[in-house]
């Protein structure tokens, strides 16, 4: 007997001896070469005899290389070994339900005894829980809207699920006027998101004096961070200049939340509705062109009376200031509700703006 063939035969026999055989349905088609309705060491013996007799039965060319030789035994060994791994796969996760807030990103980790086959992750509602990346037994998930979703995890024929429950996020927005902030205390107080003023206007040297400091500290505290740019623009050209100024300040930073245009100046409120809507669109499209998620902020009266809110809501996130209204009283297109300008949060000595984030999907 050929030494190579004998070695492969011994290896295949050893592997086959530990496989729990059922029927050929559990294995790839064509492995039951002796047609006895099972796949076992007898198929290897059958191959051995066929090779000894120089058989030319094309069905024995298991690796489809145009020849019937010892390589087909090797192929049979590997395929049955792989399918043994598949049939004996066990997967599990330690967390059956995740409770998160809008804006959070988290990782689902799967325990598996199978390092060969790919694990797939799917979400029942990507608007609520979106799978943004996978790597081996890990999936990174971003939650973007209040609601519920189920993540299904599959490896071979094994399937498990975990639920994702998403609540509104408690958010503050701050600028240099809020002074020194202990962001760790802010996080411990139940705040999960913060939107920082990056700067204002179109002229140089109009970066918020606390922006970079706040950014570093908020990130270090584990808060989800966004930014806003206070606008004075009364023309499309001025809005373009504000985009350039904003990008000088925020480029290179990574945000968990969008970049918002803050529109609240009286000089803007008295512009024609078409003009103000175009100013907002120019800024948002400009920032979006640099790869940032975008939105706009304004008071309820200004947005509704001085612009075309439905048009803007079809393209951007809407953050509305309405301290005297409940969320249910706001227009249905509102994604973030600024419900107070007089909040008190541990870690901030001054009064602070308070918000709830309900949705981060365009």
């Amino acid at each position: 007997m050929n030494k190579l063939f004998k070695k492969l035969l011994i290896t295949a026999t050893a592997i086959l001896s530990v496989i729990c055989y059922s029927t050929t349905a559990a294995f790839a088609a064509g492995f039951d070469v002796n047609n006895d309705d099972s796949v076992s060491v007898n198929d290897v013996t059958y191959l051995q005899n066929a090779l000894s007799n120089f058989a030319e039965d094309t069905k024995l060319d298991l690796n489809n290389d145009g020849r019937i030789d010892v390589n087909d035994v090797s192929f049979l060994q590997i395929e049955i070994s792989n399918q043994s791994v598949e049939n004996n796969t066990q997967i599990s996760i330690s967390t059956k339900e995740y409770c998160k807030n809008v804006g959070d990103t988290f990782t689902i980790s799967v325990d598996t005894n199978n390092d060969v086959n790919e694990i797939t992750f799917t979400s029942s509602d990507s608007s609520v829980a979106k799978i943004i990346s996978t790597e081996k037994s890990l999936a990174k998930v971003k939650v973007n809207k209040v609601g519920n979703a189920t993540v299904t995890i599959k490896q071979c024929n094994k399937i498990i699920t975990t639920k994702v429950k998403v609540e509104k996020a408690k958010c503050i927005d701050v600028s240099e006027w809020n002074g020194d902030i202990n962001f760790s205390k802010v996080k411990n107080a139940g705040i999960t998101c913060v939107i920082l003023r990056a700067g204002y206007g179109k002229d140089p040297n109009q970066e918020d004096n606390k922006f970079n400091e706040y950014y570093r500290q908020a990130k270090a505290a584990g808060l989800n961070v966004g930014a806003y740019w206070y606008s004075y623009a009364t023309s499309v050209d001025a809005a373009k200049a504000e985009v350039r100024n904003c990008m000088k300040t925020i480029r290179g930073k990574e945000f968990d939340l969008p970049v918002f245009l803050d529109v609240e100046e009286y000089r803007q409120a008295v512009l024609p509705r078409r003009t103000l809507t175009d100013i907002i669109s120019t800024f948002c499209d400009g920032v979006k062109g640099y790869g940032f998620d975008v939105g706009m902020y304004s008071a309820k009266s200004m947005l509704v009376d001085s612009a075309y809110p439905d048009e803007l809501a079809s393209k951007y996130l809407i953050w509305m200031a309405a301290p005297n209204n409940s969320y249910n009283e706001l227009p249905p297109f509102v994604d973030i509700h600024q419900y107070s300008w007089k909040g008190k949060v541990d870690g901030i000595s001054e009064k602070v703006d308070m918000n709830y984030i309900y949705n981060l999907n365009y």
Side-chain angles (χ1 to χ4, degrees):
M1 181 183 292
N2 181 287
K3 289 183 179 180
L4 175 60
F5 181 87
K6 184 176 181 180
K7 182 178 180 181
L8 291 170
L9 179 59
I10 292 172
T11 305
T13 303
I15 292 174
L16 288 167
S17 66
V18 299
I19 298 176
C20 180
Y21 302 112
S22 53
T23 66
T24 52
F27 297 88
F31 284 177
D32 179 22
V33 293
N34 65 352
N35 296 314
D36 66 353
D37 293 327
S38 68
V39 178
S40 68
V41 68
N42 294 328
D43 294 290
V44 178
T45 303
Y46 185 91
L47 267 180
Q48 173 194 351
N49 293 332
L51 287 173
S52 298
N53 295 324
F54 300 100
E56 297 181 358
D57 187 347
T58 56
K59 80 171 187 178
L60 301 180
D61 181 17
L62 302 182
N63 63 355
N64 295 311
D65 66 353
R67 300 188 304 273
I68 301 170
D69 55 22
V70 69
N71 292 323
D72 295 294
V73 176
S74 176
F75 183 83
L76 178 61
Q77 168 201 337
I78 293 170
E79 289 299 318
I80 294 178
S81 175
N82 286 343
Q83 291 187 46
S84 175
V85 171
E86 293 180 17
N87 293 337
N88 290 284
T89 293
Q90 297 295 326
I91 58 175
S92 64
I93 49 176
S94 59
T95 305
K96 298 298 184 182
E97 180 175 279
Y98 293 86
C99 295
K100 298 294 178 180
N101 298 104
V102 175
D104 287 346
T105 300
F106 67 100
T107 299
I108 297 175
S109 177
V110 179
D111 292 320
T112 178
N113 63 349
N114 180 347
D115 294 327
V116 177
N117 298 98
E118 181 184 5
I119 300 175
T120 60
F121 299 82
T122 56
S123 173
S124 64
D125 190 341
S126 293
S127 70
V128 174
K130 182 178 181 179
I131 297 165
I132 56 177
S133 66
T134 60
E135 183 179 356
K136 295 184 178 179
S137 61
L138 302 175
K140 184 177 289 187
V141 181
K142 176 76 179 291
V143 294
N144 288 321
K145 186 176 73 174
V146 171
N148 297 283
T150 298
V151 174
T152 299
I153 303 152
K154 182 177 181 181
Q155 187 178 37
C156 299
N157 61 348
K158 300 297 189 298
I159 296 175
I160 56 176
T161 61
T162 184
K163 295 180 180 179
V164 183
K165 182 180 180 181
V166 184
E167 301 285 353
K168 63 187 178 184
K170 294 180 179 180
C171 175
I172 59 172
D173 60 275
V174 297
S175 70
E176 62 188 62
W177 308 114
N178 292 99
D180 293 334
I181 297 176
N182 185 322
F183 284 99
S184 294
K185 287 185 177 181
V186 169
K187 177 75 180 294
N188 291 336
I191 304 298
T192 61
C193 299
V194 57
I195 304 175
L196 313 174
R197 187 179 76 158
Y200 53 94
K202 64 182 177 59
D203 297 323
N205 303 317
Q206 291 184 318
E207 176 183 308
D208 187 288
N209 290 326
K210 286 282 191 177
F211 174 61
N212 285 301
E213 175 188 330
Y214 284 171
Y215 176 85
R216 290 192 301 270
Q217 293 176 350
K219 282 284 190 178
L223 290 162
N224 297 318
V225 178
Y228 74 91
W229 193 263
Y230 190 96
S231 176
Y232 292 100
T234 55
S235 68
V236 166
D237 285 342
K240 291 178 180 178
E242 290 191 344
V243 171
R244 292 191 293 270
N245 209 19
C246 177
M247 291 312 306
K248 289 178 183 178
T249 302
I250 69 171
R251 190 180 296 180
K253 290 183 167 58
E254 295 183 3
F255 296 108
D256 314 284
L257 308 174
V259 176
F260 296 89
L261 180 67
D262 181 349
V263 179
E264 53 185 284
E265 286 288 305
Y266 176 76
R267 70 185 76 177
Q268 296 170 317
V270 297
L271 293 170
R273 290 163 69 98
R274 181 73 266 157
T275 301
L276 182 57
T277 301
D278 288 345
I279 286 170
I280 295 168
S281 295
T282 297
F283 182 92
C284 289
D285 289 343
V287 172
K288 189 176 182 179
Y290 285 93
F292 294 96
D293 291 334
V294 293
M296 62 88 55
Y297 164 92
S298 192
K300 180 181 178 182
S301 58
M302 183 167 181
L303 177 60
V304 173
D305 297 336
S306 301
Y308 293 118
D310 290 334
E311 177 183 329
L312 295 169
S314 70
K315 300 185 291 182
Y316 319 116
L317 291 173
I318 303 298
W319 174 16
M320 180 175 284
N324 297 320
N325 297 97
S326 69
Y327 180 69
N328 292 333
E329 296 172 322
L330 300 182
F333 53 70
V334 174
D335 303 298
I336 304 175
H337 178 205
Q338 188 179 78
Y339 64 89
S340 175
W341 298 324
K342 300 178 181 180
K344 289 295 294 180
V345 175
D346 192 24
I348 305 176
S349 59
E350 302 295 328
K351 293 177 182 178
V352 64
D353 296 341
M354 305 295 296
N355 310 269
Y356 285 128
I357 303 178
Y358 293 88
N359 174 58
L360 292 175
N361 297 297
Y362 291 121

